[in-house]
Amino acid sequence: MPMTTKDSDALVKEAQQLLAKKLQGDARRRFLRQGLTLGGVALLTGCDLSSNPNVENVLNRVSALNDRVQHWLFSDRRLAPEYSAAQIDPDFPFNAFYGEEDIPLIDGADYRLAVAGLVQNTRPWQLAELHRLPQEHQITRHICVEGWSAIGQWGGVPFGVFLKHIGADLSAKYVKFTCADDYYTSIDMSTALHPQTLLTLSWNRQVLPPKYGYPMKLRIPTKLGYKNPKHIQVIEVTNRFPGGYWEDQGYNWFGGS
Ligand SMILES: Nc1nc2c(c(=O)[nH]1)N[C@H]1C(S)=C(S)[C@@H](COP(=O)(O)O)O[C@H]1N2
Ligand SMILES: [Mo]
């Protein structure tokens, strides 16, 4: 039985109160300011809420304050700021290592996302299957090292939820992304599991346009633009350092924004 919006709002509120009680001082203020989303609860508890509507069970797991909860709450990695719809930039820039005339044109019906490396299930994913996973939206600022930034809205599947679906080894060090245009980049597992890291299918509530990475990109608002791969074809979980297109030419691999 799927959860209604009312159920999920109540669940998020309860989880938030429960967690706030456990925290003090700066951690508490930061937590209350950041708030919690349904995807955040799912990520912290390891429960797929759409298929497991047992609220009590979920809350028990939240209150256990498992390692992941603690890592998220007490790490110095803050959430990236989120913005209002009125702050969205109407003319969002395109950027790639080539011009707009060379944007890869991918047929969504033929698209397959390959999954490789330290995962239990390497079955490729069709676009429609990605759309059936739980979706979230966030409005964040994309910051490019070339000197521009812009606010946009991206929607998709919290990446941690996807990693759990494929049975990824969450203790592995890196996740590598290989794109349709010879671009590639990689992130550490902790960034992959960050609650704002999104396997992205939409931009400003529209199907992700080709120039912004159709059919799928990774949006990481805690990282600079070049760590946000577009047109992803392969996701690989690995312990071997994968580098990246710009990183291998001297850009900082961590690339925090
Ligand atoms: N596949 C792919 N992804 C990419 C790039 C690219 O050239 N190819 N450029 C990166 C850089 S430097 C930036 S700033 C952003 C630009 O994303 P946008 O076109 O949605 O603004 O994409 C990043 N991801
Ligand atoms: Mo960039």
Side-chain angles (χ1 to χ4, degrees):
M1 186 185 68
M3 283 211 310
T4 65
T5 315
K6 203 163 144 263
D7 290 337
S8 60
D9 285 353
L11 167 65
V12 169
K13 210 179 245 164
E14 255 185 285
Q16 178 143 6
Q17 282 166 1
L18 222 143
L19 280 171
K21 266 192 227 152
K22 305 232 168 213
L23 299 168
Q24 290 165 346
D26 187 48
R28 181 182 159 88
R29 277 189 293 279
R30 201 195 307 165
F31 175 73
L32 290 172
R33 195 168 60 234
Q34 285 166 180
L36 199 57
T37 62
L38 189 57
V41 175
L43 206 59
L44 295 172
T45 57
C47 292
D48 179 355
L49 297 176
S50 56
S51 66
N52 178 5
N54 185 336
V55 171
E56 204 176 77
N57 176 35
V58 170
L59 285 175
N60 283 338
R61 294 179 69 165
V62 172
S63 70
L65 270 180
N66 61 31
D67 287 349
R68 187 161 307 120
V69 176
Q70 302 215 21
H71 177 77
W72 179 64
L73 289 175
F74 299 112
S75 81
D76 54 2
R77 292 177 317 116
R78 308 211 166 185
L79 291 191
E82 298 202 13
Y83 299 87
S84 72
Q87 291 170 290
I88 292 174
D89 279 293
D91 299 311
F92 195 87
F94 157 82
N95 196 29
F97 65 89
Y98 44 80
E100 291 207 31
E101 63 287 355
D102 291 323
I103 293 170
L105 296 175
I106 293 165
D107 180 348
D110 289 347
Y111 174 76
R112 294 292 178 278
L113 170 66
V115 169
L118 305 171
V119 301
Q120 274 160 21
N121 192 346
T122 54
R123 181 181 65 79
W125 288 68
Q126 298 183 21
L127 197 49
E129 296 173 309
L130 295 176
H131 278 278
R132 283 200 287 272
L133 295 175
Q135 312 280 315
E136 277 189 11
H137 289 86
Q138 65 190 18
I139 303 174
T140 54
R141 183 185 292 278
H142 173 119
I143 302 168
C144 172
V145 282
E146 288 176 41
W148 58 271
S149 81
I151 294 172
Q153 181 175 51
W154 289 271
V157 185
F159 193 51
V161 170
F162 179 77
L163 287 176
K164 289 197 189 98
H165 266 278
I166 61 175
D169 175 357
L170 301 183
S171 69
K173 285 190 181 147
Y174 309 107
V175 184
K176 177 184 181 183
F177 305 92
T178 309
C179 308
D181 56 2
D182 292 337
Y183 197 80
Y184 64 104
T185 187
S186 55
I187 54 176
D188 53 32
M189 186 56 80
S190 146
T191 301
L193 296 174
H194 186 285
Q196 288 173 309
T197 299
L198 209 59
L199 186 156
T200 299
L201 301 165
S202 76
W203 171 80
N204 290 3
R205 301 264 172 182
Q206 311 157 28
V207 172
L208 190 65
K211 62 178 176 175
Y212 303 137
Y214 184 82
M216 194 272 279
K217 68 171 275 177
L218 207 76
R219 176 71 192 127
I220 315 175
T222 53
K223 296 282 184 190
L224 292 167
Y226 63 88
K227 306 280 323 177
N228 289 241
K230 305 192 283 187
H231 320 288
I232 298 170
Q233 286 182 322
V234 186
I235 292 176
E236 183 187 352
V237 177
T238 177
N239 282 319
R240 264 189 321 256
F241 180 71
Y245 182 91
W246 290 117
E247 294 90 328
D248 293 350
Q249 299 175 57
Y251 280 41
N252 175 255
W253 182 78
F254 188 75
S257 69

